[in-house]
Structures are given as C-alpha cells and as structure tokens.
Amino acid sequence: MNEVILSKFGILYVGVFAVCLQVSIVIGALTIGKMSDIYDKRFILYILMALGGIGAAIFISSSLFFWVLVGTIILGLYLSGTYPVALSLLRTSLSKNEYIYGLGGFQVYGNIGTVIALFSAQNFPTLNIFIAGIIFLLLASLSFYLYNKKYFQ
C-alpha cells in the first residue's frame, strides 16, 4: 500500500492514508459486527467481499487523491469486517466439532494468501505486494466459501 501511495503522491501522504485506513478499520469493527447480528451474516459477507474488490479496484486504478482515499477507506471496512463476520457465520452454521475444523481451514486459506503475496513480492519485485495481497485475500475468502459451501445452505 505504501508503495502505491509513494509512487502516486509522495512520502508526505503516507501518514494521511495510514490514519484513514486505521479510522475506517475502527469504524468497521464497531459497526459491521452489529450489522451482521441484525441482518443475515451471509448477506453481509457477500457485501464485504464485493466491497473488497471495489475498494482494491478504486485504490489501484485511480491517480486522484480523493479516489485513492475512498479506496483506502473501503478496504479498511473490508479488512475490519470480513474475519469476524466469517467466524460468526461459522459458529452459527457448524457444530462444535465442525467449527474447529472450519476455523482451521479458514486460517489455512488466509495464510496461503499471505504466503503467496510474500512469495510474489520476493520473487517478482515488479509486482506490487499490496495488489497481490488483496487479490489472494479475496481468493482465499472465495475459496473458503466454495470449499465449505455445504455448510452454508
């Protein structure tokens, strides 16, 4: 993320984007969990996954300060809400024994995305680690859902 901001705006704006990202993470953490309790958890998870893709696309494709900032805020909301909502969905959908396996699978897919992003950053330095990380985080979320689809019916 810092690499994108540095290349587009310079070092003076890294702090601005970091603060906006952290504020949106806090706001998302305080609101998204309650929204998933009120509304359907699957619906909220679908919305969050769509927001992650939209936020990444806005962040990567725009060169205007405002739109990159909007993409950062959307990504903060996505990052803060996806994990707790998915865990809550697992907890309500699975028995205790299945939940333990589901939680392990969730951790495995998330870590695979992190490892692949780090591997691509180390071996393909022209790629942006932030872009690869977001892509593989979205793929990990999607693959986890598809793998465990039988639990969400």
Side-chain angles (χ1 to χ4, degrees):
M1 182 173 184
N2 290 341
E3 190 176 307
V4 173
I5 296 167
L6 283 173
S7 67
K8 291 182 180 182
F9 305 110
I11 196 160
L12 296 176
Y13 288 96
V14 171
V16 173
F17 285 97
V19 167
C20 288
L21 179 67
Q22 291 302 318
V23 168
S24 66
I25 286 173
V26 168
I27 291 170
L30 294 174
T31 58
I32 292 174
K34 185 66 175 171
M35 287 174 52
S36 72
D37 291 338
I38 295 170
Y39 303 106
D40 184 33
K41 289 175 180 36
R42 285 179 288 180
F43 176 72
I44 298 296
L45 197 56
Y46 293 147
I47 296 291
L48 287 171
M49 290 176 68
L51 279 176
I54 291 167
I58 291 171
F59 183 85
I60 293 165
S61 64
S62 182
S63 61
L64 297 174
F65 177 80
F66 174 77
W67 288 112
V68 175
L69 192 64
V70 167
T72 302
I73 292 168
I74 292 172
L75 284 172
L77 294 173
Y78 165 74
L79 292 172
S80 68
T82 306
Y83 191 75
V85 172
L87 288 181
S88 177
L89 183 61
L90 279 176
R91 188 71 206 131
T92 58
S93 301
L94 304 175
S95 69
K96 185 176 182 179
N97 193 29
E98 291 173 329
Y99 175 72
I100 293 170
Y101 289 110
L103 184 61
F106 190 77
Q107 293 295 329
V108 166
Y109 283 118
N111 289 333
I112 287 173
T114 303
V115 168
I116 291 173
L118 292 173
F119 176 79
S120 68
Q122 195 172 35
N123 295 306
F124 307 106
T126 57
L127 293 177
N128 188 327
I129 187 170
F130 180 72
I131 296 169
I134 292 296
I135 289 169
F136 284 108
L137 183 60
L138 290 170
L139 288 175
S141 300
L142 182 62
S143 64
F144 174 75
Y145 170 74
L146 293 174
Y147 180 74
N148 294 306
K149 189 175 180 179
K150 67 179 182 177
Y151 296 124
F152 298 112
Q153 295 178 3

